[in-house]
Amino acid sequence: MSSKPFPAEHREILDNAVLIQLQTLVGKTEKEAIWDVFHLLDSFKHHADSLGPSTAHNIHTSLWPHIQSLYETQEHNQVILLCQAALHPALLTSTSSHNAAVFTRKIIASHTALGSYAEALSVFHSLPEAAQNNLLSRFLLFRLAVRGWNQTLARECLAFFAARASREEARDALYACVREAQSAGDRLCTAEALAAAARTWQGEVVVAANVPCLLRCAIRLLNMVAAEEEEQAVESAEARPGSSLMAAEMVNLFRIASEFVTSNVHDDNGETVFHDGELLWFSTNSYNLGVIYCTSWEPGRLVSLFKSCLIFTQALSTGADVTDIAQATLTIFRCHFILASLYISEARIIKTEHTQSLYADVEHHATEFTTMLVDRCDPATTINCPDLLQKHGILCIFQFEALLSRQCFDHLPCIVKQARICKDANVFKALGGCLLQSDAPVQVKSSLLKSIVNQVFEIEKFDSSRLARYLRCMVQVLLPVAEDFLARELLEQAMDIAKQAKEVNVLFPAEEAEWLAAAAFNHGLTKYAARNDMSACHAWLDSAVAMAQHVNDNGQFAASLQRRQQELPHSPLADI
């Protein structure tokens, strides 16, 4: 060619000549022919800047079938060279920007297929921003991310697809990502793509029937990967932060599923998407997962998981198998118990502005448990459910503590009444311990302690030794309190119990009677020395003498106390 620029009138002839020459070169099978193409385009660029738009389009059109054919036969190096030829400056015009993006994407795909991930990423970043945000461009970026095990980049791509304005476009892209991640063997990205696809249905009136399947598959994959990483962590004795992230994602997927269940979503045919079989799977697996990790996961994560489990289990219809319904009922009991336990453990650890809310949650789940126990369990057969009765007793203690913390004293008698179902003296003793350690008013403590002691006495079946020991401990705790009439009321109650025990030929323990009498007498002497309330002083002394009658020593101890009382100056008994 001449070194002088061609006249403008010769451009059409020149464009056609270049088109014919390129078509001839591309048709050759020799690999060296591609260099002739570059040489031809370089020469044209030197003399005539760029080809006309129509000619450039025709050349791109003729190149594309060859590129596609080479790509299908996996001759990726040739594909890259031909695409680079198509992107030659001589072929780029103001109207060929779309074609440029198409050929650039094919270069990215070929580099990815060759394993040249850095080169593929570099080519992607060379695209204009609009072309980078194209769905196909982002999908190719996801492909190179999963094949190059760049999970951060893969997540960015999934987030890009999920944020699409068109839900249909987002789902199609995410389904393609699922298949691509599966092909690459990246189970974590597969699970994340499945989860992202399921999330696109949130807020929809009509939901696809495969949403439960998407969530199930994602949870299973995450669980498998987490289990493998835990095994590797045990072998290497190193903590792996990825396991925690996968645990959080699994819990989040169960939460999403529970939201679908709460919304009672239906498919195109009006059928319930989460039918009984799906509900049973989600209920069983969320519960089992929580049980497995109950000692290693943080309480907040476990709360979310068991709340989801509760939703799944409660949604099981009455049309399900009888065995499934029976198992579901037990699962509901267990969920309420676990949730109440988690909430109260959190409330006890740190006292913050959320503590009262945590105690309110304890009350809620304890109340639900009790209501179910009363409504669904026959009182005659409840005795055959020791596990439920034991849990009920513990929940009564939790609820009692929560009510005391929230100063809801009016509801405390109801808890004492509910605890009777357990028929366990230890439950009532724990309630008494909570009450004694609380800041409840003395009047509240007085009436409740009487009820608690009566229940213990009834359950122990006149086992006066154990009951006497329990009463002695409570009196010992209450004696130093400024308002000591509560301790005296308990002392009087102990005397009543001693009388009742004697009527059935059961002796009140002499050691406990002696201790109670001595403690009461010494307390009366303390009041006598203070000269504050002489009537209360002598009431204590009288109670001590009466209690000493049960020491079983033929009245010797009682007589000695009475004699000492008479010897006190200004004693009303001194003149008798």
Side-chain angles (χ1 to χ4, degrees):
M1 287 187 179
S2 172
S3 60
K4 296 180 180 180
F6 284 92
E9 58 269 17
H10 295 165
R11 282 297 303 273
E12 184 177 353
I13 298 173
L14 180 60
D15 287 355
N16 290 332
V18 172
L19 174 61
I20 294 170
Q21 184 66 24
L22 282 175
Q23 288 174 340
T24 303
L25 291 172
V26 170
K28 292 182 178 181
T29 56
E30 297 85 355
K31 294 183 179 180
E32 293 77 9
I34 187 65
W35 303 113
D36 293 334
V37 171
F38 279 105
H39 179 68
L40 175 63
L41 293 173
D42 287 341
S43 299
F44 184 88
K45 177 67 177 175
H46 177 70
H47 291 285
D49 192 25
S50 64
L51 292 162
S54 60
T55 304
H57 177 74
N58 290 334
I59 292 174
H60 285 160
T61 302
S62 63
L63 285 174
W64 187 249
H66 294 284
I67 292 172
Q68 285 285 72
S69 177
L70 291 170
Y71 187 83
E72 291 172 1
T73 56
Q74 299 184 8
E75 297 182 56
H76 298 295
N77 287 317
Q78 285 295 101
V79 170
I80 292 171
L81 290 173
L82 276 177
C83 288
Q84 289 173 343
L87 295 172
H88 194 281
L91 295 176
L92 296 181
T93 65
S94 59
T95 60
S96 62
S97 58
H98 172 74
N99 290 344
V102 171
F103 288 111
T104 303
R105 283 194 287 268
K106 189 60 73 173
I107 293 174
I108 296 171
S110 295
H111 275 307
T112 303
L114 292 170
S116 305
Y117 305 121
E119 289 84 350
L121 187 59
S122 177
V123 173
F124 174 84
H125 288 307
S126 70
L127 285 168
E129 184 178 356
Q132 288 184 13
N133 291 331
N134 179 273
L135 275 177
L136 290 176
S137 300
R138 287 284 175 168
F139 176 73
L140 291 173
L141 184 63
F142 178 82
R143 175 183 290 175
L144 76 89
V146 294
R147 294 191 182 185
W149 294 93
N150 188 339
Q151 292 181 339
T152 302
L153 183 59
R155 289 191 185 98
E156 291 177 4
C157 294
L158 292 176
F160 172 84
F161 294 133
R164 299 288 295 183
S166 171
R167 292 287 184 96
E168 289 297 328
E169 282 187 3
R171 289 171 196 138
D172 291 341
L174 290 169
Y175 289 145
C177 289
V178 170
R179 184 169 183 176
E180 191 62 42
Q182 280 182 306
S183 300
D186 191 333
R187 287 181 294 181
L188 182 57
C189 278
T190 302
E192 291 178 352
L194 286 166
R199 287 190 186 96
T200 62
W201 292 101
Q202 288 182 291
E204 297 282 351
V205 177
V206 178
V207 174
N210 69 335
V211 168
C213 180
L214 296 175
L215 292 168
R216 275 192 288 108
C217 291
I219 291 170
R220 282 173 172 167
L221 286 171
L222 288 170
N223 196 25
M224 290 169 58
V225 176
E228 290 178 2
E229 290 207 355
E230 284 181 5
E231 290 179 4
Q232 295 173 4
V234 171
E235 293 175 0
S236 61
E238 293 181 359
R240 293 177 178 264
S243 298
S244 179
L245 293 174
M246 281 181 279
E249 181 62 14
M250 278 191 287
V251 172
N252 189 41
L253 291 179
F254 277 114
R255 180 188 59 78
I256 291 171
S258 69
E259 290 175 356
F260 280 120
V261 173
T262 303
S263 301
N264 194 26
V265 292
H266 292 73
D267 59 18
D268 294 333
N269 299 320
E271 299 290 335
T272 301
V273 173
F274 283 81
H275 52 75
D276 291 336
E278 296 288 0
L279 291 172
L280 187 59
W281 187 93
F282 280 96
S283 169
T284 303
N285 284 274
S286 58
Y287 181 82
N288 290 342
L289 193 67
V291 171
I292 291 170
Y293 294 105
C294 64
T295 58
S296 57
W297 282 1
E298 60 186 27
R301 187 175 295 164
L302 291 170
V303 165
S304 176
L305 187 61
F306 281 106
K307 284 174 70 175
S308 298
C309 178
L310 195 56
I311 292 173
F312 301 135
T313 314
Q314 289 174 333
L316 275 170
S317 67
T318 54
D321 186 80
V322 175
T323 305
D324 293 341
I325 293 298
Q327 184 61 40
T329 302
L330 286 175
T331 303
I332 293 173
F333 276 122
R334 292 166 182 162
C335 286
H336 282 306
F337 178 78
I338 293 171
L339 286 167
S341 302
L342 289 168
Y343 281 126
I344 203 162
S345 65
E346 284 293 286
R348 288 170 175 173
I349 293 172
I350 302 175
K351 301 299 181 182
T352 65
E353 65 274 12
H354 303 296
T355 301
Q356 297 306 310
S357 175
L358 291 170
Y359 276 125
D361 290 327
V362 172
E363 292 178 44
H364 167 72
H365 290 288
T367 302
E368 290 294 320
F369 187 101
T370 303
T371 303
M372 279 188 62
L373 189 65
V374 173
D375 293 347
R376 302 194 184 189
C377 297
D378 185 354
T381 60
T382 303
I383 192 65
N384 298 322
C385 304
D387 178 61
L388 290 180
L389 290 177
Q390 185 181 26
K391 286 181 170 61
H392 174 63
I394 295 171
L395 288 180
C396 283
I397 299 169
F398 289 169
Q399 191 172 7
F400 201 77
E401 178 183 335
L403 289 168
L404 285 170
S405 176
R406 299 179 67 224
Q407 298 184 348
C408 300
F409 304 125
D410 293 341
H411 299 289
L412 293 174
C414 297
I415 307 303
V416 176
K417 183 178 180 181
Q418 292 170 7
R420 294 175 185 172
I421 302 174
C422 307
K423 297 182 179 180
D424 186 350
N426 292 325
V427 172
F428 289 101
K429 292 174 183 178
L431 295 179
C434 288
L435 187 61
L436 291 174
Q437 296 175 37
S438 71
D439 297 327
V442 177
Q443 295 81 357
V444 173
K445 288 183 178 180
S446 176
S447 61
L448 285 174
L449 281 174
K450 286 181 180 179
S451 299
I452 290 171
V453 170
N454 288 336
Q455 289 300 319
V456 173
F457 188 49
E458 181 180 337
I459 293 171
E460 296 288 2
K461 295 182 179 179
F462 295 98
D463 186 348
S464 55
S465 61
R466 296 172 66 181
L467 182 59
R469 187 162 55 251
Y470 180 63
L471 284 167
R472 185 249 300 164
C473 292
M474 288 199 296
V475 171
Q476 187 175 4
V477 171
L478 292 171
L479 269 178
V481 178
E483 297 176 328
D484 58 0
F485 71 89
L486 180 56
R488 186 150 56 85
E489 288 181 353
L490 284 174
L491 182 64
E492 292 173 357
Q493 192 170 5
M495 288 188 287
D496 292 339
I497 291 172
K499 291 177 183 178
Q500 294 177 36
K502 191 174 182 179
E503 291 175 1
V504 293
N505 297 322
V506 177
L507 295 178
F508 195 84
E511 298 84 357
E512 303 295 348
E514 184 177 1
W515 188 96
L516 288 169
F521 195 84
N522 290 337
H523 190 70
L525 292 178
T526 302
K527 283 187 166 293
Y528 178 83
R531 304 282 180 174
N532 290 333
D533 188 351
M534 296 305 295
S535 61
C537 160
H538 290 293
W540 274 103
L541 296 175
D542 292 339
S543 296
V545 172
M547 190 72 233
Q549 298 291 339
H550 301 283
V551 175
N552 195 26
D553 62 350
N554 296 320
Q556 294 180 17
F557 186 50
S560 67
L561 292 181
Q562 190 171 29
R563 185 169 55 255
R564 291 180 62 188
Q565 183 182 9
Q566 292 172 352
E567 292 173 355
L568 292 173
H570 309 294
S571 172
L573 300 178
D575 298 329
I576 296 178

Short mmCIF file of all heavy atoms in Angstrom, two decimals, residues 105-125:
data_model
loop_
_atom_site.label_atom_id
_atom_site.label_comp_id
_atom_site.label_asym_id
_atom_site.label_seq_id
_atom_site.Cartn_x
_atom_site.Cartn_y
_atom_site.Cartn_z
N ARG A 105 -16.59 -9.74 26.35
CA ARG A 105 -17.13 -10.79 27.22
C ARG A 105 -16.65 -12.17 26.77
O ARG A 105 -16.39 -13.05 27.60
CB ARG A 105 -18.66 -10.73 27.25
CG ARG A 105 -19.22 -9.62 28.12
CD ARG A 105 -20.69 -9.79 28.39
NE ARG A 105 -21.50 -9.51 27.22
CZ ARG A 105 -22.03 -8.32 26.95
NH1 ARG A 105 -21.80 -7.29 27.76
NH2 ARG A 105 -22.77 -8.13 25.88
N LYS A 106 -16.52 -12.35 25.44
CA LYS A 106 -16.04 -13.64 24.95
C LYS A 106 -14.58 -13.84 25.35
O LYS A 106 -14.16 -14.97 25.65
CB LYS A 106 -16.21 -13.72 23.44
CG LYS A 106 -15.93 -15.10 22.86
CD LYS A 106 -16.86 -16.16 23.43
CE LYS A 106 -18.27 -16.02 22.87
NZ LYS A 106 -19.14 -17.14 23.31
N ILE A 107 -13.81 -12.77 25.39
CA ILE A 107 -12.42 -12.88 25.86
C ILE A 107 -12.38 -13.28 27.33
O ILE A 107 -11.59 -14.12 27.75
CB ILE A 107 -11.68 -11.54 25.65
CG1 ILE A 107 -11.52 -11.24 24.15
CG2 ILE A 107 -10.32 -11.56 26.32
CD1 ILE A 107 -10.92 -9.89 23.85
N ILE A 108 -13.26 -12.66 28.12
CA ILE A 108 -13.33 -13.01 29.55
C ILE A 108 -13.67 -14.48 29.73
O ILE A 108 -13.06 -15.19 30.54
CB ILE A 108 -14.38 -12.12 30.26
CG1 ILE A 108 -13.95 -10.65 30.23
CG2 ILE A 108 -14.60 -12.59 31.70
CD1 ILE A 108 -15.02 -9.68 30.72
N ALA A 109 -14.66 -14.96 28.95
CA ALA A 109 -15.07 -16.36 29.05
C ALA A 109 -13.92 -17.30 28.68
O ALA A 109 -13.71 -18.34 29.32
CB ALA A 109 -16.28 -16.61 28.16
N SER A 110 -13.15 -16.94 27.64
CA SER A 110 -12.05 -17.80 27.20
C SER A 110 -10.91 -17.80 28.22
O SER A 110 -10.33 -18.85 28.52
CB SER A 110 -11.53 -17.33 25.83
OG SER A 110 -12.52 -17.50 24.85
N HIS A 111 -10.58 -16.64 28.77
CA HIS A 111 -9.54 -16.60 29.81
C HIS A 111 -9.96 -17.43 31.02
O HIS A 111 -9.14 -18.13 31.63
CB HIS A 111 -9.28 -15.16 30.23
CG HIS A 111 -8.31 -14.43 29.37
ND1 HIS A 111 -7.05 -14.93 29.10
CD2 HIS A 111 -8.40 -13.24 28.71
CE1 HIS A 111 -6.40 -14.08 28.31
NE2 HIS A 111 -7.20 -13.05 28.05
N THR A 112 -11.24 -17.35 31.37
CA THR A 112 -11.74 -18.13 32.51
C THR A 112 -11.63 -19.62 32.22
O THR A 112 -11.23 -20.40 33.09
CB THR A 112 -13.20 -17.75 32.81
OG1 THR A 112 -13.28 -16.34 33.07
CG2 THR A 112 -13.72 -18.51 34.02
N ALA A 113 -11.99 -20.01 31.00
CA ALA A 113 -11.90 -21.42 30.62
C ALA A 113 -10.46 -21.92 30.65
O ALA A 113 -10.20 -23.09 30.97
CB ALA A 113 -12.50 -21.63 29.24
N LEU A 114 -9.51 -21.05 30.34
CA LEU A 114 -8.09 -21.41 30.36
C LEU A 114 -7.49 -21.36 31.77
O LEU A 114 -6.34 -21.74 31.98
CB LEU A 114 -7.29 -20.47 29.45
CG LEU A 114 -7.57 -20.60 27.95
CD1 LEU A 114 -6.90 -19.47 27.19
CD2 LEU A 114 -7.07 -21.96 27.43
N GLY A 115 -8.27 -20.84 32.73
CA GLY A 115 -7.76 -20.72 34.09
C GLY A 115 -6.95 -19.46 34.31
O GLY A 115 -6.31 -19.31 35.36
N SER A 116 -6.98 -18.56 33.36
CA SER A 116 -6.26 -17.28 33.50
C SER A 116 -7.17 -16.26 34.17
O SER A 116 -7.66 -15.31 33.53
CB SER A 116 -5.80 -16.80 32.12
OG SER A 116 -5.04 -17.78 31.46
N TYR A 117 -7.41 -16.47 35.47
CA TYR A 117 -8.41 -15.67 36.16
C TYR A 117 -7.98 -14.21 36.33
O TYR A 117 -8.81 -13.30 36.25
CB TYR A 117 -8.71 -16.30 37.52
CG TYR A 117 -9.13 -17.75 37.41
CD1 TYR A 117 -8.42 -18.74 38.06
CD2 TYR A 117 -10.23 -18.12 36.64
CE1 TYR A 117 -8.80 -20.07 37.95
CE2 TYR A 117 -10.62 -19.44 36.52
CZ TYR A 117 -9.89 -20.41 37.18
OH TYR A 117 -10.25 -21.72 37.06
N ALA A 118 -6.71 -13.98 36.57
CA ALA A 118 -6.23 -12.60 36.72
C ALA A 118 -6.41 -11.83 35.42
O ALA A 118 -6.84 -10.67 35.42
CB ALA A 118 -4.77 -12.59 37.15
N GLU A 119 -6.08 -12.47 34.28
CA GLU A 119 -6.25 -11.81 32.98
C GLU A 119 -7.73 -11.55 32.71
O GLU A 119 -8.10 -10.49 32.20
CB GLU A 119 -5.66 -12.68 31.86
CG GLU A 119 -4.14 -12.76 31.85
CD GLU A 119 -3.63 -13.82 32.82
OE1 GLU A 119 -4.44 -14.35 33.62
OE2 GLU A 119 -2.41 -14.09 32.79
N ALA A 120 -8.58 -12.52 33.05
CA ALA A 120 -10.02 -12.35 32.84
C ALA A 120 -10.54 -11.18 33.66
O ALA A 120 -11.35 -10.36 33.17
CB ALA A 120 -10.76 -13.62 33.21
N LEU A 121 -10.10 -11.07 34.91
CA LEU A 121 -10.55 -9.98 35.77
C LEU A 121 -10.05 -8.64 35.24
O LEU A 121 -10.79 -7.64 35.27
CB LEU A 121 -10.04 -10.21 37.19
CG LEU A 121 -10.54 -9.25 38.27
CD1 LEU A 121 -12.07 -9.30 38.36
CD2 LEU A 121 -9.93 -9.58 39.62
N SER A 122 -8.83 -8.62 34.73
CA SER A 122 -8.29 -7.38 34.17
C SER A 122 -9.10 -6.93 32.96
O SER A 122 -9.39 -5.74 32.80
CB SER A 122 -6.82 -7.59 33.79
OG SER A 122 -6.31 -6.44 33.18
N VAL A 123 -9.48 -7.88 32.11
CA VAL A 123 -10.29 -7.55 30.93
C VAL A 123 -11.65 -7.03 31.36
O VAL A 123 -12.18 -6.07 30.79
CB VAL A 123 -10.43 -8.79 30.02
CG1 VAL A 123 -11.41 -8.50 28.88
CG2 VAL A 123 -9.08 -9.21 29.46
N PHE A 124 -12.23 -7.63 32.41
CA PHE A 124 -13.54 -7.17 32.89
C PHE A 124 -13.46 -5.71 33.33
O PHE A 124 -14.34 -4.91 33.01
CB PHE A 124 -14.01 -8.04 34.05
CG PHE A 124 -15.28 -7.55 34.70
CD1 PHE A 124 -16.52 -7.88 34.17
CD2 PHE A 124 -15.24 -6.73 35.83
CE1 PHE A 124 -17.69 -7.42 34.76
CE2 PHE A 124 -16.40 -6.27 36.41
CZ PHE A 124 -17.63 -6.62 35.88
N HIS A 125 -12.41 -5.38 34.06
CA HIS A 125 -12.27 -4.00 34.55
C HIS A 125 -11.99 -3.01 33.43
O HIS A 125 -12.14 -1.79 33.63
CB HIS A 125 -11.18 -3.93 35.61
CG HIS A 125 -11.56 -4.56 36.91
ND1 HIS A 125 -12.71 -4.24 37.60
CD2 HIS A 125 -10.96 -5.54 37.66
CE1 HIS A 125 -12.81 -4.95 38.69
NE2 HIS A 125 -11.76 -5.76 38.76
#
